[in-house]
Every structure is written in C-alpha cells, then in structure tokens.
Amino acid sequence: MSGKSTPPGRDVGLAGERTRLAWRRTALAVGVVAVLTARLALPYGTVGAVVVVLAGLGWAGVLVATFPKVAGRRSHPGRALPVTALVTAGFAVLGLLLVLASMR
Amino acid sequence: MYEAVRRWFDPRELREVGETPDYRFSLANERTFLAWLRTGLALIAGGLAVAQFLPPMPVPHLREALAIALLLLGGTVAVRAVDHWARTERAIRLGDELPASRFPAVLALLVGLGAVLLMVAVVVQGVRNP
C-alpha cells in the first residue's frame, strides 16, 4: 500500500501485493501436500524414508524457488512457476506410487 | 513436447517476444496460474487424504481407485497450469487472442461425475445394510 500519495485511478502496488500473497498461499498449500505425502509414506520402511526425504526436498525447493516472489523482490516470471508446477506434479507421482504399493 | 518444457524454464524468451504489456496483465496471468496450481494441490491433497484417512470401502479397491483418480487429476491440472500460463503470456505479448481451452469444462465434468458415482455408492451401501 502506498498511502496518501497514490494518485486516484492508478493501481500502484495492489496487483503486486495480491500476487505476492497468492504465492504465499500456494507455498503453504505445497507444505500441506508435502506433510500428507510424508505421513502416507511413514509405514513403508526404507522406501518410505526415501519418500519422506523427497517430500522435504520438494517443499524446500519450492520455498527457495519462490522466495523472491514471496518477498516481492522480483516481478518478472523467472523459474518459480515451472519449478512449483513440476514439484506439485511430482507429489502426485509419489502419491500414486504409494497408493499402488499399498494395493500389492 | 521438449520444446514446450524448455520454454517453461526459459523466462528470457518469454520476456523478449512481442512487446512488454502493462505489468498488471502479467501479474493477473501469474495469479491465474497460481489459482490453478492450488486447485491441483487441493486435488492431490484430497487423493492423499482419501488414501490414508478413509476406512476400506465395501467395494474392493474403491478407496484406492478414488485416490488414484484424484492424484492423476491433480498432477494433470498442475502441468496444464504452467503450459497455459506460458501460452497466455505469449499471446498477451504478441497481441494475439488468448488461448481457448476445453480443460476447465472437462475437469468440471469429471469432478461432477465422480461425485455422482460416489453418491450412488453411498446410497447402494445404505440400502444393502440399513
């Protein structure tokens, strides 16, 4: 918010603010999915431990890639978008493998 | 296919093509991508929750089938989101029409169909063992 100096009719800063908050919500949602994946993997011994580590690395990767977005430092696209999308797809793949393993 | 994936990761090309639009358009496109991504994350979270919190169902493997369907849908939504974002960004910069897509309609139909099937399963189960 830029306060009183904003000329009327100009949307200075709010679009950036909304986008920053949207990144924050998305990073939090990735965290929830990482925790759910790790919890599902817990009963699977060594394989499960590997999945837990992968889930943690995926979340850490998203946090690192999206940090400039969440901090509002960078407005141009950058790699945060494809990294977040592909890590998300990776969680879907990990979940699929765990569900298929539970059916055997 | 490879070309499309390379384009997602190479922001330079997306910044050089056409002319730079009003930054608010790019930010709105980015927020649309994020909303789709959270839709995908919600589907994935739903699949993971079904797999670990639902008791086994009377129909064999119905629980696993439901989890697999949700996870597949969620993964597809996430990958489609980044592809659609890149194509929209290109179109905005080149002044083209925005890319049209059947995907939202297909996703809505699949989710609706899944809900109807589950309702039928619940009713059948209720009728069999009241």
Side-chain angles (χ1 to χ4, degrees):
Chain A
M1 301 291 288
S2 32
K4 287 176 190 163
S5 62
T6 310
R10 272 209 68 187
D11 173 34
V12 176
L14 279 185
E17 179 86 354
R18 290 215 301 274
T19 310
R20 208 161 61 77
L21 291 172
W23 274 105
R24 203 170 271 201
R25 288 199 293 281
T26 308
L28 279 171
V30 173
V32 171
V33 167
V35 169
L36 280 175
T37 306
R39 193 185 177 282
L40 185 61
L42 280 180
Y44 289 92
T46 317
V47 179
V50 171
V51 172
V52 170
V53 170
L54 283 177
L57 285 177
W59 190 19
V62 165
L63 288 180
V64 169
T66 63
F67 181 75
K69 298 285 194 181
V70 173
R73 292 228 188 106
R74 196 195 297 161
S75 56
H76 64 74
R79 297 225 164 102
L81 288 91
V83 166
T84 314
L86 292 187
V87 168
T88 301
F91 279 121
V93 171
L94 286 181
L96 279 175
L97 293 177
L98 290 170
V99 172
L100 290 176
S102 76
M103 288 168 74
R104 289 199 318 160
Chain B
M1 176 67 199
Y2 170 75
E3 191 64 13
V5 175
R6 196 187 55 78
R7 208 172 268 169
W8 300 342
F9 279 95
D10 192 2
R12 250 177 319 146
E13 189 185 301
L14 263 184
R15 267 185 287 150
E16 279 163 9
V17 75
E19 48 192 77
T20 308
D22 185 333
Y23 71 96
R24 282 172 288 179
F25 295 159
S26 297
L27 289 175
N29 187 26
E30 198 168 307
R31 287 198 302 278
T32 307
F33 159 79
L34 289 171
W36 270 111
L37 199 58
R38 287 194 300 275
T39 306
L41 284 164
L43 288 166
I44 294 171
L48 293 170
V50 163
Q52 56 195 308
F53 296 123
L54 221 59
M57 293 201 206
V59 183
H61 291 317
L62 178 60
R63 183 180 62 167
E64 282 75 14
L66 187 58
I68 289 171
L70 285 168
L71 288 165
L72 282 176
L73 269 183
T76 311
V77 167
V79 174
R80 211 272 334 187
V82 69
D83 184 55
H84 194 75
W85 166 81
R87 289 195 294 132
T88 303
E89 194 70 13
R90 241 181 119 74
I92 291 175
R93 298 189 69 105
L94 292 170
D96 291 344
E97 291 272 324
L98 293 185
S101 176
R102 291 201 184 91
F103 186 81
V106 173
L107 180 67
L109 283 179
L110 284 176
V111 171
L113 195 70
V116 168
L117 286 178
L118 278 180
M119 262 155 57
V120 170
V122 169
V123 169
V124 166
Q125 195 197 340
V127 169
R128 274 195 195 153
N129 345 291

